[in-house]
Amino acid sequence: MKLKTVCLVLLLLAPVAALGQGLPTITLGIGEATDPGEVSTALQILIVLTILSVAPAILLMTTGFTRIVIVLSFVRQAMGTQQAPSNQIVIGLALFLTFFVMAPVFNQINEQALQPYLEQQISQEQALTQALQPMRQFMFSQVGEKDLQLLVDISKSPQPENQDDISMLTLIPAFMLSELKRAFQMGFLLFVPFLMIDMIVASILMAMGMMMLPPIIISLPFKILLFVLVDGWSLVIGSLVQSFG
């Protein structure tokens, strides 16, 4: 009982002791700016933090990450290996392949926009405009005309005469729609050979009267063997990278 009393007294005296030691405090508030430059700097910091928060979404919407990660996921599902490779490996490989595919675009942005801006040769508005041009060229090279026309019709905007008349709000969803369509087309082609193996194994098991044995248990080693013999990862990665050409 005495031990409990001592512990209770120590807990009650701990805040008083902390106050007596003069611990630092953190305060947040909004004060009046004395210089217009302070407001401009604060807005720039806010914009940078906002861009960093939506950076993953920008990576998904304006690069080839969508197509790559969907195709890699289809490969895993077609083989039926459940969580092998794991999600972390699939996403990591998709990220590095995205950087590999987008390297020429990123280098062009660095040379035309970032470095001149850091050297104070151009303004922020000019840097943003010049940075968007390589991204627009990449997306226009991959977007389908039907998908682009669909978004133009949905937005009820005037028929564009050239690429400059198409806004990013129209180009980005059209580009993502084209990426999804192309990824599912490649996924279908990946499923066909594995589906043939499943059908052959299921037919053999039915002919042998082993209908209680799941065909996927027997077909899984054969699908992995086929994938290894044809060097499947090299074929998939090579086809993915070349599809952006």
Side-chain angles (χ1 to χ4, degrees), residues 107-127:
N107 290 334
Q108 192 174 358
I109 293 175
N110 181 54
E111 295 174 359
Q112 296 182 1
L114 181 59
Q115 293 303 325
Y117 173 71
L118 294 178
E119 295 174 359
Q120 298 183 353
Q121 297 178 358
I122 58 177
S123 62
Q124 292 182 1
E125 293 78 7
Q126 292 175 337

Side-chain angles (χ1 to χ4, degrees), residues 66-79:
T66 302
R67 184 193 310 182
I68 295 173
V69 74
I70 290 177
V71 172
L72 294 179
S73 300
F74 271 133
V75 172
R76 184 176 61 183
Q77 294 178 9
M79 288 193 298

Side-chain angles (χ1 to χ4, degrees), residues 194-220 222-223:
F194 297 112
L195 181 60
M196 295 295 296
I197 295 178
D198 287 334
M199 293 177 62
I200 293 173
V201 171
S203 300
I204 294 175
L205 291 178
M206 290 183 63
M208 297 175 62
M210 303 173 63
M211 297 168 43
M212 298 299 295
L213 182 63
I216 189 172
I217 298 179
I218 307 300
S219 63
L220 179 58
F222 291 100
K223 289 191 287 187

Side-chain angles (χ1 to χ4, degrees), residues 56-155:
I58 295 176
L59 179 64
L60 289 174
M61 293 185 296
T62 60
T63 65
F65 179 82
T66 302
R67 184 193 310 182
I68 295 173
V69 74
I70 290 177
V71 172
L72 294 179
S73 300
F74 271 133
V75 172
R76 184 176 61 183
Q77 294 178 9
M79 288 193 298
T81 53
Q82 302 298 327
Q83 295 298 321
S86 63
N87 291 332
Q88 291 83 355
I89 296 176
V90 171
I91 294 175
L93 180 59
L95 280 174
F96 278 100
L97 287 177
T98 301
F99 292 143
F100 177 79
V101 171
M102 300 296 297
V105 178
F106 292 155
N107 290 334
Q108 192 174 358
I109 293 175
N110 181 54
E111 295 174 359
Q112 296 182 1
L114 181 59
Q115 293 303 325
Y117 173 71
L118 294 178
E119 295 174 359
Q120 298 183 353
Q121 297 178 358
I122 58 177
S123 62
Q124 292 182 1
E125 293 78 7
Q126 292 175 337
L128 179 60
T129 302
Q130 295 185 15
L132 287 177
Q133 290 303 319
M135 296 300 299
R136 287 175 60 88
Q137 293 176 3
F138 170 78
M139 287 188 285
F140 274 120
S141 65
Q142 302 298 323
V143 70
E145 294 184 3
K146 292 183 179 179
D147 301 324
L148 193 59
Q149 184 62 47
L150 174 63
L151 268 296
V152 171
D153 295 338
I154 294 175
S155 63

